[in-house]
Every structure is written in structure tokens, then in C-alpha cells.
Amino acid sequence: TNIYEEIQSLGFYKYEFLNKKIEIDGKNTIEILIIKDMKEDRKIILSILEASFVLIFITIITSIVIAKRFYNKIIPPLENLRDITNKVNLENMNYKLESKNNFVEFNSIINSYNNMLKRLQSQTEAQINFVNSASHEMKTPIFIISGYINLIKRWGIENKDIVIEALNSIEEETKNMSSLISKLLFLAKDDYDEKENKNFNISEAITEIIYPNQKINFSSKKSFINSDYHLIRQLFLNLIENAIKYGRDKEIYINIRENKNIIVDIIDNGEGISQENLKHIFDRFFRVDKARSREMKSHGLGLSIVKKIVETLNIDLDIRSELNKGTIVTLTLPLK
């Protein structure tokens, strides 16, 4: 009964119709009703919907199967990783994860974890060796001091010569132990974020270290840098001490030159270092000649301190040496 200007739908894809009146001049009004049966279209749409539901169902089932297989492959290695992580401690780091997983990313994680365990084990062994070596180095002077104290108690109270000998030895061992403790504390300190940088003449820092009785050829030159004075002085102290200890009483040369940076060469014509030992000179407590270490008052920590300072101050260090010919140490110091 209603008149519509546009096509209308009846039901869900059952019919479409147009009911419209058309007026023509000089003639009666014409009412048009056009109806289209949508049964065929309805069948096609329902078939598409049914196929879509079937495909969605198949997709869900397939996704569940794939997810379950992925879960079964990924979870056991993760559980193994969790169990091993719970068992790892400082005394036992020999675990190794075996990965038979087909996922590249997971294998990459396992390899990284194994490498981490190796690094931790290596660092732990180094720390244990460091503590053992430090303990050994501390026991020696303590044992000597204890021996001389017992000697004084037993025989030396009335013997002036024994007392003097004992006191001199105790004093020497006390200085030795104090030096060792200072070096250990320096190596144990990790925080150098707050460096006390200032402008100073590097020649003055070197001159303070050199004593008149040392055979050192050094021409002072004004070369100013902006850095931590204490660390720079400690750096040259250790390098010059090494040159004196192993220089066989021959003259040592210290040269300062400048280009874009300040370059300092410390040259001795002493014992030198073999290429094999040269690889280990920065290892803590490493000494080329352990038999002479106490005679030379060496703890094997000087170059470990040097390495730490050059890394802290961004200094380039180059050491060249030849056995029985001497050693050349070259430092490149940034102006700032």
C-alpha cells in the first residue's frame, strides 16, 4: 500500500521490490510494482557463509594443533633452562645446555646462555685465583713477622743485634704488606666515575717520581693535560718502578713528544720479556721470575694497575719487548 521511491528488501534475501507511481501529462497516473525473487542469490550467500564457517573451524583446529606442537617443542628446553639456572652456583658452573630445537632464535638464546656460563666460570676462577694469590702474598710477610717476634721473645731481649735485625726485617715486611694492601684496594675499587680532572704539567708528575739516585735520563718539557693527577702519577709510578726493577741498573730513558696528543716513551735496556710472557704481563700476580720476586719486592700487580688506569683514562698503551734487550713502553695520552 505504501509508495517507495527506492528499491526495498523483504526478509533476508527473499524479495526485493519497487512500488512507485508515475504521472504522465494528459493520462491517468500509473502505479508500478516490480518484484524480484532472491531465492538463487540467497542460496549462494548461504553457501558462502557455510563455507566460511567450515574454513574458520578448520583454521581454529589447525592453529590448536600447531600451537600444541610448538608448546611441546619449546617448553621442555625452557624447563631444562630453568632447572639448570636454579642449580648453578659459584662452585658449579659446568652445566651445558644441549639444544635440538629447530627454532633459530631459541638456539641463539641457548648459545648465549652457554657463553654466559663460560664467562661466569672464567671470571669466578680468576676471582678465586686472585683471592688465593692475595692470601698467599699476605701470609708470607705475616709469617716472617711472626717468626722474628718469636725470635725476640726467646733470644733477642738481651741481644741488641738480634733485636735490631728483627725490627729492621719487621719494618721491611710491614712496608711490603702495606704496599700490597694498597695495590689490592686499588684493584678492588670499581667506581672511577668521579675523577678529579685538572690541568697540570705531566713533566712535574714524572719528576716527583724520579729520585736523584736513579739512573734516568729525562728532559723535562712543559706538556699540559686535563686529567686525574693522582691516577696519572700512579700510572707512571708503576711503569718507572718496573723499568728500574728489570733494567739491570742500566740507564732508563723517558721522552715526551707531542702531536695531536701527548706521547711518553719509557725505555729500558734491561732483561726484556719473552713473547710468550708478554701475553700475560697484565694478569694479576703474574711474575716472569717468581724466584726473584721477593728480592725485587714485586707482587705482580703493577701492570694490572697500569691496565686499569689506562682503561679508566682512555689512554693508549703499547709495550714492545725483546728478551735480554729491553722494553719500550709507549703511552698516548689525550689532551682532554
Side-chain angles (χ1 to χ4, degrees):
T1 58
N2 297 324
I3 303 301
Y4 300 98
E5 294 295 325
E6 295 178 357
I7 296 173
Q8 302 294 313
S9 296
L10 180 63
F12 178 69
Y13 282 95
K14 287 187 175 181
Y15 301 98
E16 285 186 351
F17 65 91
L18 176 66
N19 189 12
K20 188 175 182 180
K21 286 185 178 180
I22 300 175
E23 293 182 358
I24 301 174
D25 292 340
K27 294 185 179 182
N28 295 330
T29 299
I30 301 172
E31 183 177 346
I32 299 175
L33 177 60
I34 303 174
I35 301 172
K36 181 183 179 182
D37 191 345
M38 299 291 293
K39 287 181 182 179
E40 295 300 325
D41 298 79
R42 179 186 175 91
K43 286 181 181 179
I44 294 171
I45 291 172
L46 289 176
S47 298
I48 292 172
L49 288 176
E50 288 175 0
S52 299
F53 281 121
V54 170
L55 287 174
I56 291 171
F57 179 76
I58 292 172
T59 302
I60 291 172
I61 296 299
T62 305
S63 300
I64 292 172
V65 172
I66 293 173
K68 190 174 181 180
R69 289 185 178 180
F70 177 81
Y71 179 88
N72 291 334
K73 282 188 175 183
I74 203 74
I75 292 302
L78 286 176
E79 289 177 346
N80 187 27
L81 179 62
R82 179 198 62 197
D83 294 339
I84 288 178
T85 303
N86 291 333
K87 293 176 183 178
V88 167
N89 52 49
L90 292 179
E91 287 75 28
N92 189 4
M93 291 188 181
N94 294 321
Y95 292 101
K96 184 178 180 181
L97 283 174
E98 298 292 340
S99 176
K100 296 180 181 179
N101 205 291
N102 295 323
F103 299 103
V104 175
E105 294 80 3
F106 191 83
N107 287 332
S108 177
I109 292 172
I110 294 297
N111 291 332
S112 298
Y113 189 84
N114 285 329
N115 291 332
M116 180 194 70
L117 286 179
K118 287 180 182 178
R119 291 194 301 272
L120 286 175
Q121 185 176 9
S122 176
Q123 291 173 3
T124 301
E125 289 174 356
Q127 291 294 332
I128 291 172
N129 291 334
F130 176 74
V131 171
N132 290 338
S133 300
S135 301
H136 176 74
E137 292 289 336
M138 293 291 290
K139 285 177 182 178
T140 304
I142 291 173
F143 177 77
I144 293 173
I145 291 171
S146 176
Y148 275 108
I149 290 174
N150 290 331
L151 181 65
I152 293 173
K153 284 181 178 180
R154 289 185 179 183
W155 314 105
I157 295 176
E158 297 178 356
N159 190 326
K160 186 178 178 181
D161 292 337
I162 291 178
V163 172
I164 292 173
E165 180 188 350
L167 290 176
N168 288 336
S169 296
I170 289 172
E171 181 184 18
E172 189 68 24
E173 292 302 327
T174 303
K175 290 179 181 178
N176 187 30
M177 196 159 52
S178 176
S179 172
L180 174 60
I181 291 172
S182 297
K183 290 177 179 178
L184 290 174
L185 289 174
F186 182 88
L187 290 172
K189 185 178 181 182
D190 290 328
D191 185 13
Y192 286 102
D193 292 336
E194 297 181 2
K195 296 186 288 291
E196 297 178 1
N197 289 347
K198 65 177 184 179
N199 283 308
F200 63 90
N201 183 1
I202 197 168
S203 294
E204 292 179 359
I206 296 174
T207 303
E208 286 185 7
I209 301 168
I210 300 173
Y211 299 105
N213 59 340
Q214 296 171 350
K215 296 179 181 178
I216 296 179
N217 187 328
F218 172 57
S219 300
S220 180
K221 179 181 179 181
K222 287 186 178 181
S223 299
F224 288 88
I225 63 170
N226 187 292
S227 190
D228 188 297
Y229 181 84
H230 170 72
L231 291 180
I232 290 290
R233 189 180 183 281
Q234 186 73 25
L235 171 65
F236 282 106
L237 177 63
N238 283 280
L239 290 174
I240 293 173
E241 275 186 355
N242 265 16
I244 293 170
K245 286 176 185 176
Y246 301 101
R248 290 180 175 175
D249 294 326
K250 295 181 181 178
E251 192 169 21
I252 296 166
Y253 297 88
I254 301 177
N255 303 320
I256 297 180
R257 47 200 169 94
E258 289 187 34
N259 45 31
K260 295 181 180 179
N261 301 303
I262 295 176
I263 300 172
V264 181
D265 298 310
I266 301 173
I267 305 167
D268 71 70
N269 298 298
E271 298 177 5
I273 309 167
S274 69
Q275 295 304 307
E276 181 62 30
N277 286 329
L278 201 59
K279 301 174 185 176
H280 304 285
I281 57 175
F282 296 113
D283 297 347
R284 296 175 182 181
F285 295 105
F286 176 78
R287 284 159 290 197
V288 174
D289 188 353
K290 294 183 180 180
R292 295 175 55 204
S293 60
R294 288 196 60 78
E295 175 190 340
M296 302 178 74
K297 299 179 183 179
S298 173
H299 300 111
L301 295 174
L303 287 179
S304 296
I305 292 174
V306 166
K307 182 182 179 182
K308 189 164 188 176
I309 294 174
V310 297
E311 288 175 350
T312 301
L313 298 181
N314 194 29
I315 295 172
D316 288 333
L317 172 65
D318 178 55
I319 298 179
R320 289 165 288 161
S321 188
E322 192 172 343
L323 203 59
N324 298 319
K325 289 189 177 181
T327 302
I328 300 174
V329 177
T330 302
L331 294 164
T332 305
L333 296 90
L335 296 175
K336 291 185 179 181

